[in-house]
Amino acid sequence: MSYQVLARKWRPRSFREMIGQTHVLKALINALDNQRLHHAYLFTGTRGVGKTTIARIIAKCVNCETGITSTPCGVCSVCTEIDEGRFVDLIEIDAASRTKVEDTRELLDNVQYAPSRGRFKVYLIDEVHMLSTHSFNALLKTLEEPPPYVKFILATTDPQKLPATILSRCLQFSLKNMTPERVVEHLTNVLTVENVPFEDDALWLLGRAADGSMRDAMSLTDQAIAFGEGKVQAADVRAMLGTLDHGQVYGVLQALLEGDARGLLEAIRHLAEQGPDWNGVLAEMLNVLHRVAVAQALPEAVDNGQGDRDRVLAVAQALPAEDVQFYYQMGLIGRRDLPLAPDPRSGFEMVMLRMLAFRPADAEDAPRQTLKTVGISQATADSTPTVAAPVAPIEPEPVAAPGAVPAPVAPTANEAEGAPAKAVQAPDLPWNPLPVVEPEPAPEPAALAQAIPEPILDTVAEQPELTPMPTPVPASAVPDAPEVEPQVLETVVELGPGALADPVPPGHPGDFAPAGMDRDDEPPLDEDYYEPDLDVGAAYSYLDELASEATPALVAEPEVLPAAAPATGLALQWLELFPKLPISGMTGSIAANCTLMAVDGDQWLLHLDPAHSALFNATQQRRLNDALNQYHGRTLSLRIELIRPEQETPAQAAARLRAERQKDAEASIHADPFVLQMMQQFGAVIRDDTIEPVDTMASPTP
């Protein structure tokens, strides 16, 4: 008789023989006992957890000659044929090899025929997720309403690939992975019945290598029996799997725990004889440290999945909790840096030596050695430098008035004995770039200039090229000099009944001239009248010349403030007249901030806000007067007084209109239905500073 592998020989024949999957078996047993059978089942899970086995047991339960029951007899012809894989009404289909829609249609064509021998015709479709989309669509109607004598059992390892239409038509059961404890327990029973000698450590190695699959565990056991000549021993299994001796990991950990550098390197040398994967060794050590940390927090939570529960508890009692966390973090970082090491073994050794060197210092057995001094300044290296003598705090000296002689300071003990004055480094303050010098009693004026040393910096590279500071000289040493007062020439330019006094510096070549010289005969420039640009920030050559020589403190035009009262009467007429005047630039800015106060024939009086007086001079008044003459076609006499207008000026009107347009635009955005929907559904926020009116009108102000 040919040999049958353990995975097939020990395949369960009934629900009672199943290992694990209690949550699935309970539902199936109750459904069979109560005759509440569904027409479609879906079993999901990784390989080797019992999907096909449960499907065959269901086929026996519904077709057994003793009746529908959860405990088939196992001896009737139906049960025997199903166990041997030759029952005609159990159709097992490999969906991975029959993915085309034509294969599915052929299957569905046979559904209409009644079963030949059994009570039900059972279709077992394995790896059903491999079917094509057209195959799933062709299967939908039959899967939803099959004939009463048809049962569908679907199995897959990847349920995420199944359409929702298939999932909704089936009862889905998710099978769990096998734990190492359950695998070892089952292997123990199997090898005991098979009369195969074994070691417990070898079974734990097989249980972990199976990775949750009972079929893989049985196949590895077959291989281990052949490798060990009829025996399952830990050394043979470890050699067969190429895994690391778990005890050697504890040897490295024990040497680390004892702080024994010699023992640590010796344990690593024994590990190197096996040619292990050092990254895997480090990962195994991290796994042990994790279990040790769990044992320290909750001892009963430590499982025996690797057969070393007692050793884990022993390490947990001997190793402080802070050391466990430190070693674990150091191992994680070392595993990340392991590929950067010259070779894996040296990288692993450095990780272990780093754990040994940087272990918490409060441990009694922590290695300690005297560190050699390096070329580092003690003032930089020590956080608490040793002070030979107490140093008195430096008190700020009173600031002397300009030209005053510093008061004499009482000499110290060293100075009384004839020692030279010492330079004391001042505090590092931004207003004290020079060191404070302890002055000698009654310094001479000539020696005072030599008493101020150069700034003391840390390095030569930091020495800037500084211009020597002027030495303060006592007032008595400076001879009296005649006081020179700046001469300012004031002129008055007559323009009509009003007059404006403007101080002009001597020799200024501008529009102002001393008395007796009339510069108003110059015709105004055409570009000043017809320049379309009304930008206040534009550069004017006249203003630049005036600012550089006569008025160095000119600033930008101040912000336009709202008016105290709306424009009426003459002020309203000025609002209507202003846009029609042929002026621009600074002249337009002056006119925009004026208001008309009185008209007496050809005598006009304007009030100008004093805040804009920096831009106003006789030339601007003359140009504004010329613009009025040109517009009215007659000669007018204009007078401007620096009085803040009480009624609205053109500039204030333009600012008010812009504010109203901006307010209307913001209100329109806030009331927009689409914007409100975005705010409600997505939490959008309106930034008012980014809203601009679409049709903003041109401002009358420059």
Side-chain angles (χ1 to χ4, degrees), residues 188-333:
T188 301
N189 296 332
V190 170
L191 295 179
T192 301
V193 175
E194 294 287 337
N195 293 322
V196 176
F198 63 90
E199 295 179 356
D200 292 338
D201 292 344
L203 298 187
W204 282 108
L205 291 173
L206 294 174
R208 290 194 299 271
D211 194 19
S213 173
M214 186 64 73
R215 183 173 60 234
D216 289 1
M218 301 295 287
S219 300
L220 290 174
T221 303
D222 259 329
Q223 183 180 356
I225 294 174
F227 188 88
E229 298 179 355
K231 299 179 182 179
V232 180
Q233 297 180 350
D236 295 337
V237 173
R238 191 175 295 110
M240 179 189 73
L241 299 177
T243 56
L244 180 68
D245 185 1
H246 207 63
Q248 292 186 356
V249 175
Y250 282 98
V252 174
L253 192 60
Q254 184 65 28
L256 188 65
L257 175 63
E258 296 174 355
D260 183 8
R262 182 184 299 276
L264 181 64
L265 294 178
E266 186 69 16
I268 295 176
R269 187 182 64 81
H270 286 298
L271 277 175
E273 294 177 355
Q274 301 182 9
D277 176 18
W278 295 102
N279 188 26
V281 175
L282 196 54
E284 187 67 23
M285 182 167 293
L286 291 176
N287 184 25
V288 172
L289 290 173
H290 164 257
R291 301 181 67 211
V292 169
V294 172
Q296 291 177 343
L298 191 63
E300 58 270 18
V302 180
D303 59 359
N304 198 26
Q306 299 181 4
D308 57 349
R309 186 175 186 273
D310 295 337
R311 304 179 74 172
V312 169
L313 294 177
V315 175
Q317 293 179 356
L319 192 62
E322 57 271 16
D323 289 15
V324 175
Q325 298 297 328
F326 172 76
Y327 291 153
Y328 188 86
Q329 187 67 23
M330 191 73 73
L332 286 180
I333 298 175

Side-chain angles (χ1 to χ4, degrees), residues 448-463:
L448 185 60
Q450 302 177 359
I452 303 178
E454 295 294 332
I456 299 176
L457 298 178
D458 293 338
T459 61
V460 178
E462 296 179 1
Q463 296 287 348

Side-chain angles (χ1 to χ4, degrees), residues 161-176:
K161 294 183 179 180
L162 294 181
T165 52
I166 296 293
L167 297 176
S168 64
R169 288 168 168 81
C170 303
L171 290 183
Q172 182 175 353
F173 296 94
S174 298
L175 278 67
K176 299 178 181 179

Side-chain angles (χ1 to χ4, degrees), residues 359-446:
R359 63 186 304 173
D362 56 350
E364 296 179 357
D365 52 351
R368 294 181 176 87
Q369 64 182 29
T370 305
L371 299 179
K372 297 181 180 180
T373 59
V374 294
I376 303 177
S377 174
Q378 292 299 325
T380 305
D382 298 337
S383 59
T384 57
T386 304
V387 181
V391 179
I394 300 176
E395 299 181 358
E397 298 181 358
V399 180
V405 179
V409 182
T412 60
N414 294 334
E415 294 173 350
E417 297 175 2
K422 295 182 179 180
V424 182
Q425 181 66 36
D428 189 10
L429 299 175
W431 59 83
N432 191 8
L434 298 177
V436 179
V437 179
E438 297 181 0
E440 298 179 358
E444 294 295 335

Side-chain angles (χ1 to χ4, degrees), residues 539-560:
Y540 302 98
S541 59
Y542 168 78
L543 180 59
D544 293 340
E545 182 182 359
L546 185 63
S548 61
E549 298 184 19
T551 328
L554 286 178
V555 294
E557 183 179 359
E559 183 180 0
V560 179

Side-chain angles (χ1 to χ4, degrees), residues 99-155:
T99 60
K100 298 181 180 180
V101 66
E102 292 80 5
D103 300 330
T104 304
R105 289 174 181 171
E106 180 183 355
L107 180 151
L108 297 177
D109 290 341
N110 296 325
V111 171
Q112 57 184 336
Y113 301 110
S116 300
R117 292 194 53 199
R119 193 176 295 108
F120 292 94
K121 182 185 289 187
V122 180
Y123 287 91
L124 173 56
I125 306 177
D126 201 6
E127 299 299 331
V128 68
H129 67 274
M130 299 295 292
L131 292 179
S132 63
T133 304
H134 296 292
S135 299
F136 280 125
N137 293 336
L139 189 63
L140 288 180
K141 188 60 179 177
T142 305
L143 188 62
E144 182 179 6
E145 297 179 356
Y149 47 80
V150 173
K151 302 294 181 185
F152 284 99
I153 301 179
L154 313 180

Side-chain angles (χ1 to χ4, degrees), residues 499-523:
L500 177 66
D502 290 322
V504 181
H508 184 269
D511 292 326
F512 306 109
M517 296 182 61
D518 190 3
R519 302 293 298 272
D520 290 341
D521 296 335
E522 298 179 2

